Amino acid sequence: MEKKLKQLVLLLKKHEGKNFDVNLQYERESNTGFGFMHTVKKGIVQVVNSNIVMVSEPQTANYFILPVVGIKSVLDESQGKYDIAITVKYLNSYRLFIQILEPY
């Protein structure tokens, strides 16, 4: 678990201060899935209690939290300087797709 936390934090910290779009998805073959999207502008990355990673805006209460417990994999899906993406897959079939964009 410590290795996955470190990998996730390093990937997110590398882009601190940029805009983070996170898309939560739940997909099961036997059930209807769902999705939810949230944006954090100029995100600051923090590790809280060694079991969650929080990305928050510096001047508002806008944030999202990534639990570390139950992570199956952390994948860097970036395709270049301006196409930065991370997928975090969980054992319970949840998936977070995080796209990182330069602030305007």
Side-chain angles (χ1 to χ4, degrees):
M1 167 131 34
E2 193 67 33
K3 182 179 175 182
K4 291 176 185 172
L5 171 62
K6 189 172 186 176
Q7 180 186 8
L8 180 60
V9 170
L10 287 174
L11 284 171
L12 294 174
K13 279 277 194 187
K14 186 172 154 182
H15 303 289
E16 197 166 43
K18 296 181 181 177
N19 297 341
F20 291 77
D21 283 339
V22 62
N23 187 343
L24 171 65
Q25 300 170 340
Y26 178 68
E27 297 177 354
R28 304 267 323 203
E29 291 179 22
S30 60
N31 298 333
T32 303
F34 69 84
F36 174 77
M37 184 174 225
H38 183 66
T39 300
V40 170
K41 296 180 181 178
K42 299 181 182 176
I44 303 298
V45 178
Q46 301 170 353
V47 178
V48 183
N49 298 330
S50 299
N51 61 2
I52 60 171
V53 177
M54 183 170 74
V55 179
S56 62
E57 290 183 4
Q59 296 180 346
T60 69
N62 201 5
Y63 66 93
F64 67 88
I65 292 177
L66 303 163
V68 177
V69 175
I71 289 180
K72 183 177 180 180
S73 63
V74 177
L75 306 168
D76 184 354
E77 298 193 50
S78 301
Q79 297 293 318
K81 185 177 178 181
Y82 299 106
D83 185 10
I84 302 164
I86 300 165
T87 297
V88 182
K89 293 182 180 180
Y90 289 88
L91 296 171
N92 61 4
S93 299
Y94 283 89
R95 182 175 67 193
L96 291 169
F97 178 73
I98 304 166
Q99 188 171 15
I100 303 168
L101 309 164
E102 295 287 336
Y104 293 105

